[in-house]
Amino acid sequence: MVSTHPAGVRNSGYQYFSESRSTTTSPNQELLPLTAKVNSNDCLEIGGCDVTALVAQFGSPLYILDEETLRTACRQYRDSFKTFYAGESQVVYASKAWNCMAICAIVHSEGLAVEVVSGGELYTAIQAGVAPEKLYFHGNNKSVQELQLAIASNCTIIVDNWLELETLADLAKLPVSIMLRLTPGIECHTHEYIRTGHLDSKFGFDPNQIDQVFKFVSNNPNLQCIGLHAHIGSQIFELQPHQDLPGVMVQWLKKAADYGLPVTHLNIGGGLGIRYTEADDPPSIAEWSKVVCEAVTAACQEQQVPLPKLMCEPGRSLIGSACVTAYTLGSRKEVPEIRTYLSVDGGMSDNPRPITYQSVYRAVVANKMSASWTETVTVAGKHCESGDVLIKDISLPPTQPGDVLVVLSTGAYNYSMASNYNRVPRPAAVLVKDGEANVIIQRETYQDLVRCDRLPQRLI
Ligand SMILES: *Cc1c(COP(=O)(O)O)cnc(C)c1O
């Protein structure tokens, strides 16, 4: 049990703490990492580390990753599938949410498998020590080189389309373990860029082609199709799409078995949403898992199909709320009667989600946790782009340059989508646990920025 704050304190940094937390608290329903507290200096503490001290030591912007929150989310998925599903199960971390060696190693140590979508992510997971049988390779346009790396590393390849299927049939000199990604035609309510399960999607085989695909695979003994896969989208709060998906998938499993394919695995994807603001109310990890497990079990009973090894592959809901980004506040611009801009020392290069998806975030001032929110400000980044705004119209206490602003729930699709726009070095990331902080990603230097630059002799 983590003690948090005097109950009922509102309109201050305490607002985003839930009243009490324990290991049964679902991280995806929290705005702050599970270990967050306010210490006697009125400063935010995560993983037993004072956030302002971390910024003093490691600089800013700084991604601060709470190991306890990440491990809790891993265990909740793993244990929920064990509880609610009678067959075998495997939780897979969709590492594109944040792929780096330390995170791959942590989730692997919790028994999770790792899903990758590029040669670079695959290489990183291998370097982190992820076992080949725990590696799954996705992607709608894998290169020949990536497919060769996948074959050489003995991972399972999730085949997305005809070109890939035919290329693999050529490349595979020995049996290769594959799964087939299908487009199930299931709609869900999320941003259109992150919707993938409806028929008009670039991902997966069209259901109309399914017989031809199964026939092709059954004629290629080196393509060992162990199962089927679908992923319907991201940041989903509804349970209905995941209740509907198994019926469709199990029907296709049955068909695949009719073609003689050794299908024993069913992967129903990820997509569970997280809380970014107090208005977000996603189901818990346990609730989502229960719905998925029961729907698969029911569909298998109804269609008389043996229970497959059930896989899910969450990304955001495993890592999202485990991380916050700490910035140092800088300049302030007041536009009378319109708005006040507060600028931070990062922005769209370390968190491109607001400018890409109009995503909304919440923040606290780490060194003024109990100060009353008396201002409404807009938090702007430092990039040369008017749209580089991290948070529009947020309530904060009065601040000064040098104060530490902490943006919450930045674990998913922040570091992994970070860029060097304006040649801003990408931030460091520290892993915090029990008062210890370890660098897991070093801050880039100016030397790093020019590492791949070349100056032809005639220009010197
Ligand atoms: C992105 C992705 C996921 C994870 O999605 P989240 O919304 O982060 O849980 C799972 N499977 C596939 C194939 C993906 O592309």
Side-chain angles (χ1 to χ4, degrees), residues 345-366:
D345 52 356
M348 61 184 282
S349 60
D350 60 77
N351 183 0
R353 293 189 69 255
I355 201 167
T356 312
Y357 307 116
Q358 298 81 49
S359 309
V360 182
Y361 283 90
R362 290 291 178 255
V364 296
V365 179

Side-chain angles (χ1 to χ4, degrees), residues 94 96 115 138 181 229 231 233-235 270-271 313-316 413:
K96 73 175 189 287
E115 179 248 289
H138 273 279
R181 179 167 184 170
H229 170 278
H231 171 68
S234 199
Q235 186 59 2
E313 49 186 23
R316 188 192 311 270
Y413 308 107

Side-chain angles (χ1 to χ4, degrees), residues 77 92 94 115 196 229-236 242 245 267-273 288 292 311-317:
Y77 267 110
V92 186
E115 179 248 289
T196 56
H229 170 278
H231 171 68
I232 56 179
S234 199
Q235 186 59 2
I236 303 170
H242 278 101
L245 179 63
N267 187 329
I268 45 74
L272 173 61
W288 185 89
V292 166
M311 307 171 73
C312 67
E313 49 186 23
R316 188 192 311 270
S317 52

Side-chain angles (χ1 to χ4, degrees), residues 2-4 17 21 33 35-39 43-46 48 369:
V2 178
S3 67
T4 52
F17 286 87
R21 291 132 162 230
T35 64
K37 293 193 220 186
V38 177
N39 67 19
C43 289
L44 178 64
E45 205 177 276
I46 296 173
M369 287 300 288

